[in-house]
């Protein structure tokens, strides 16, 4: 089992920045990828960004150029730096880990962007 704890969510105004953090613990050996998904009310959960052990990243088109994902392997931490936030970014953000063909999710942290 992998346990994920997110932090850093909050209420910000459009144009401001926010950084999310996620700490992985438990059976963390062999984690191949970490990332962030988000889900807005009434919408499906969608990919925001992922990063694999080799450092390659993948971003949703909607956040490309504004968000940056990073990973610190010794602590199994993943971060999401969010710049130029838009109201459309409002959602619950979930930390994601893939290990041994299984997916793990954090409890989610709310990000609300006001106009």
């Amino acid at each position: 089992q992998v346990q994920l704890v997110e932090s850093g969510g909050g209420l910000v105004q459009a144009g401001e920045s926010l950084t999310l953090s996620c700490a992985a613990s438990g059976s963390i050996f062999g984690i191949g990828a970490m990332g962030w998904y988000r889900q807005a009310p009434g919408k499906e959960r969608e990919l925001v960004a992922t990063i694999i052990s080799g450092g390659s990243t993948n971003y949703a088109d909607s956040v490309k150029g504004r968000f940056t994902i990073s990973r610190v392997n010794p602590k199994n931490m993943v971060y999401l730096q969010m710049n130029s936030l838009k109201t459309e970014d409002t959602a619950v953000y979930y930390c994601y880990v893939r290990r041994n063909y299984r997916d793990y999710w954090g409890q989610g942290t709310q990000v609300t962007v006001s106009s």
Side-chain angles (χ1 to χ4, degrees):
Q1 292 289 330
V2 176
Q3 294 80 46
L4 303 173
V5 179
E6 305 105 329
S7 62
L11 174 64
V12 298
Q13 292 184 333
E16 295 183 341
S17 299
L18 200 63
T19 299
L20 306 181
S21 301
C22 176
S25 62
S27 301
I28 59 176
F29 178 81
I31 290 177
M34 299 183 73
W36 295 91
Y37 284 69
R38 67 186 181 186
Q39 186 170 25
K43 297 183 178 180
E44 296 182 351
R45 188 173 299 186
E46 64 176 357
L47 169 73
V48 178
T50 57
I51 183 168
I52 62 175
S53 59
S56 297
T57 57
N58 183 46
Y59 296 93
D61 289 339
S62 59
V63 306
K64 196 171 299 181
R66 299 188 297 118
F67 291 9
T68 302
I69 188 170
S70 60
R71 182 179 178 181
V72 180
N73 288 333
K75 297 182 178 181
N76 292 288
M77 298 281 294
V78 63
Y79 302 90
L80 184 68
Q81 181 179 337
M82 304 182 292
N83 298 326
S84 301
L85 283 164
K86 305 175 181 179
T87 56
E88 305 94 273
D89 297 317
T90 296
V92 176
Y93 285 70
Y94 296 90
C95 184
Y96 160 83
V97 159
R98 186 163 181 84
R99 175 184 180 274
N100 292 340
Y101 307 102
R102 291 184 179 273
D103 297 334
Y104 300 87
W105 303 90
Q107 82 285 355
T109 185
Q110 177 71 47
V111 173
T112 302
V113 184
S114 63
S115 60

